[in-house]
Amino acid sequence: MVAVWLVHVGQKLLLWGALSAISLAGVTLILRFLQMMATYAHNWLQMRPITSVSGAYPLVGHSLVLKQGGKEFFQQLIHYSEEYRHVPMLKLWLGTVPVMAMFKAETIEVILTSSKQIDKSHLYRFLEPWLGLGLLTSTGNKWRSRRKMLTPTFQFTILKEFLDVMNEQANILVNKLEKHVDGEKFNCFFYITLCALDIICETAMGKSIDAQTNDDSEYVRAVYRMSDLLHRRMRTFWLWHDVLYLLFKEGRDHKRNLKILHNFTTNVNERGANEIKRDEERKSDDKGTTLSNRKRKAFLDLLLNVMDDEGNKLSLEAIREEVDTFMFEGHDTTAAGMNWALYLLGCYPEVQKKLDNELDEVFGMYGPFPTYKEDPKALKQMTFLLIKNVQLGLF
């Protein structure tokens, strides 16, 4: 009888426990929803004076009118910037999150010149599974500390060591573009992106992936796919929740490509750390070796030796964060800038001719593929090129 009574009591306790858990979860969800709605109402009232694109609906914002394809979405943004060119900034709602589009230099200057406004937007959190909390995604004291540690790795004397890499990859790019001379119009962005990826991979990790000659490599495909997935997720609010995201094909694809990217950089990092350890063990045998005969140091090699004010080295996880960050930033934004410059030079052949003449004057004596090492002052002599790049917004 006692056993039966205990079972009966246990069943009641389990039932009450389950009901309590469900009730608690329901209350938590309701409170979070009310908090979200309060924030949404506050932001809506504060930003009401700012010009907004038409077609926004409560809670979903502009998500129903934004194009899903990358190319179509970009064209849509260009259309909006032309339509609202008379205003300093434009407001879009991605679900309940407001996004500001600023396309006037004087408006953007206020943000970019601020030493306090360094917090990244809500949408940057979708980069964290790939990039962690590196220089791009971190903020506050961590960002300032990491920035201070990394600054010495960007000295011009260090970057100059990789000019041969840049020239080699640029020559491959030129040869590929040359095949289209006098032919039909084509999209050169793919070629430029592969070139930038080759350069940043060798300069950042000290490893060549030959993206320009082997664009079917697993790592290259993962970089492209991850970039597409991130951009799509940022503008699709129902893909924001991490658990729900995995229910979609995009979420599972994201997880698969993330593993490829992290495995690649982790393996390179570990190999670099082992090489440095072996070099230190052989240090006594290298006393007579001059710096010029040693292997040039990639960004990864410098990170493995960098220390903070307290003499602590970066962890392998922190190094992976920065290498992944510079792999993403170093090829994506650079490729976009290069593509934009080539597009504008194609639109203005008279400017292109002036640049050709200046390059011939500065490098004519060195043949068709000059290097800055042959004349370190050459860059300063290219005044027209520098002025045009500033006007194009590349510097």
Side-chain angles (χ1 to χ4, degrees):
M1 292 294 293
V2 174
V4 173
W5 179 79
L6 287 175
V7 170
H8 182 67
V9 171
Q11 289 176 340
K12 282 189 174 182
L13 288 174
L14 286 174
L15 179 61
W16 280 108
L19 290 173
S20 298
I22 293 172
S23 299
L24 182 61
V27 170
T28 302
L29 287 174
I30 291 172
L31 289 175
R32 290 192 64 179
F33 177 75
L34 291 174
Q35 183 183 26
M36 182 190 73
M37 293 304 297
T39 304
Y40 175 47
H42 174 74
N43 289 338
W44 188 86
L45 289 172
Q46 270 202 327
M47 298 184 174
R48 190 175 181 180
I50 301 174
T51 304
S52 177
V53 174
S54 60
Y57 294 93
L59 298 180
V60 298
H62 293 92
S63 299
L64 300 180
V65 298
L66 293 179
K67 304 293 185 183
Q68 291 301 309
K71 180 180 179 181
E72 293 77 15
F73 177 70
F74 182 67
Q75 293 293 337
Q76 190 176 28
L77 290 183
I78 292 177
H79 171 73
Y80 287 150
S81 65
E82 289 293 336
E83 184 180 354
Y84 296 94
R85 183 172 290 276
H86 60 285
V87 297
M89 65 181 70
L90 192 60
K91 179 178 62 185
L92 288 166
W93 288 94
L94 297 180
T96 59
V97 177
V99 176
M100 307 307 301
M102 296 178 285
F103 42 84
K104 288 184 179 291
E106 57 271 19
T107 309
I108 300 173
E109 183 183 16
V110 178
I111 301 297
L112 295 183
T113 56
S114 173
S115 59
K116 296 181 179 180
Q117 302 299 331
I118 60 173
D119 290 346
K120 306 306 187 294
S121 76
H122 172 76
L123 299 179
Y124 272 65
R125 76 178 183 86
F126 301 125
L127 293 168
E128 291 179 14
W130 180 10
L131 308 182
L133 290 176
L135 198 59
L136 175 64
T137 51
S138 61
T139 187
N141 291 332
K142 180 174 182 178
W143 179 85
R144 292 185 180 91
S145 174
R146 195 66 65 84
R147 174 71 180 268
K148 185 177 180 181
M149 292 176 69
L150 297 181
T151 297
T153 64
F154 292 96
Q155 294 178 4
F156 185 73
T157 53
I158 295 175
L159 298 177
K160 193 167 63 174
E161 292 296 317
F162 288 94
L163 287 174
D164 287 341
V165 174
M166 299 177 191
N167 283 323
E168 178 185 348
Q169 299 301 333
N171 290 344
I172 295 174
L173 174 62
V174 169
N175 290 333
K176 295 180 75 171
L177 295 178
E178 199 171 27
K179 297 177 182 178
H180 293 275
V181 173
D182 297 327
E184 298 292 327
K185 64 180 181 179
F186 69 102
N187 187 351
C188 64
F189 185 63
F190 183 66
Y191 294 131
I192 294 171
T193 304
L194 293 178
C195 176
L197 195 56
D198 265 336
I199 292 173
I200 191 61
C201 199
E202 191 159 352
T203 55
M205 294 194 290
K207 179 178 175 62
S208 176
I209 59 172
D210 298 320
Q212 292 196 89
T213 55
N214 179 27
D215 56 14
D216 195 40
S217 75
E218 184 180 50
Y219 181 76
V220 172
R221 291 199 309 271
V223 169
Y224 274 109
R225 183 58 181 153
M226 184 62 78
S227 298
D228 290 339
L229 290 169
L230 287 171
H231 288 135
R232 173 171 166 75
R233 190 181 186 189
M234 286 180 177
R235 61 179 184 268
T236 311
F237 77 92
W238 54 85
L239 298 177
W240 288 0
H241 195 282
D242 292 337
V243 175
L244 293 179
Y245 189 46
L246 290 175
L247 298 179
F248 291 89
K249 180 181 178 297
E250 289 92 337
R252 297 190 293 272
D253 203 5
H254 177 278
K255 185 178 181 180
R256 182 171 58 254
N257 284 280
L258 184 65
K259 184 177 180 180
I260 294 172
L261 294 170
H262 279 175
N263 284 344
F264 183 83
T265 48
T266 297
N267 291 336
V268 173
N269 289 355
E270 291 176 351
R271 185 162 57 248
N274 291 334
E275 287 180 2
I276 286 181
K277 186 177 180 180
R278 286 195 297 269
D279 288 343
E280 289 176 349
E281 293 173 352
R282 297 196 303 262
K283 197 171 183 180
S284 58
D285 300 329
D286 294 337
K287 291 181 179 178
T289 305
T290 61
L291 184 63
S292 60
N293 291 330
R294 294 175 186 168
K295 176 187 174 183
R296 60 186 169 220
K297 290 188 175 182
F299 180 61
L300 169 62
D301 299 319
L302 299 170
L303 288 179
L304 289 166
N305 287 306
V306 75
M307 294 183 182
D308 60 18
D309 294 335
E310 299 175 356
N312 299 317
K313 287 188 175 183
L314 289 172
S315 65
L316 287 178
E317 182 181 356
I319 290 172
R320 192 190 71 186
E321 289 178 344
E322 299 304 339
V323 171
D324 281 334
T325 294
F326 281 89
M327 281 297 300
F328 172 66
E329 284 190 304
H331 93 274
D332 187 64
T333 55
T334 304
M338 291 165 60
N339 191 68
W340 179 242
L342 289 179
Y343 168 75
L344 290 178
L345 288 174
C347 293
Y348 300 96
E350 68 279 5
V351 175
Q352 183 181 155
K353 183 61 179 177
K354 289 182 180 180
L355 290 178
D356 285 340
N357 292 337
E358 183 174 80
L359 290 172
D360 288 340
E361 291 176 6
V362 175
F363 292 116
M365 61 184 292
Y366 299 121
F369 300 116
T371 66
Y372 296 136
K373 286 185 177 181
E374 291 161 329
D375 187 354
K377 297 181 180 179
L379 187 62
K380 295 181 179 179
Q381 297 176 31
M382 293 185 285
T383 54
F384 185 72
L385 176 64
L386 292 176
I387 290 172
K388 284 301 168 187
N389 274 322
V390 170
Q391 292 175 346
L392 295 176
L394 299 184
F395 292 157

